[in-house]
Amino acid sequence: MLRLLLTLSLGLLSLPAPAGKTAAESALREILQAERITDVSYKVHEDGFVHIVFSGRMMEQDYDRVLDRLNRHPEIPGVLAARETDVFCRP
């Protein structure tokens, strides 16, 4: 029984990453390239959910358009987006 559990555990550890992350990241990169957006920071989670921060210099209508494209893409299950601000704290 222990040998069976060990075999199953090792098999699970060697599974490839879920397709969700790979597909979502490809979709995200495709949209960013099509929109010519380079000043951005993002993280794609294993389930394909995207956290993304755009430059504060990005125009509101551009931000809305890109966010709409990301939200409508079938390979991206969800998006949490923001734009940077120019507010800085000084000690």
Side-chain angles (χ1 to χ4, degrees):
M1 182 65 148
L2 182 59
R3 187 179 297 169
L4 176 62
L5 288 175
L6 182 59
T7 303
L8 290 173
S9 297
L10 290 175
L12 290 176
L13 291 175
S14 64
L15 291 175
K21 180 177 182 175
T22 305
E25 191 159 11
S26 293
L28 173 62
R29 288 181 181 183
E30 179 182 303
I31 291 170
L32 293 176
Q33 184 178 11
E35 294 286 342
R36 295 186 173 142
I37 296 173
T38 57
D39 197 4
V40 65
S41 176
Y42 64 84
K43 176 177 173 67
V44 180
H45 295 270
E46 291 298 320
D47 61 358
F49 195 91
V50 175
H51 285 168
I52 188 165
V53 179
F54 296 95
S55 167
R57 295 183 305 269
M58 184 179 210
M59 300 293 291
E60 185 75 27
Q61 64 268 21
D62 296 334
Y63 174 78
D64 290 341
R65 184 183 63 251
V66 172
L67 192 54
D68 183 56
R69 285 187 70 182
L70 292 171
N71 280 316
R72 286 187 296 117
H73 201 287
E75 298 294 340
I76 300 174
V79 179
L80 178 62
R83 288 191 315 172
E84 293 177 330
T85 63
D86 294 328
V87 177
F88 297 97
C89 295
R90 295 186 182 215

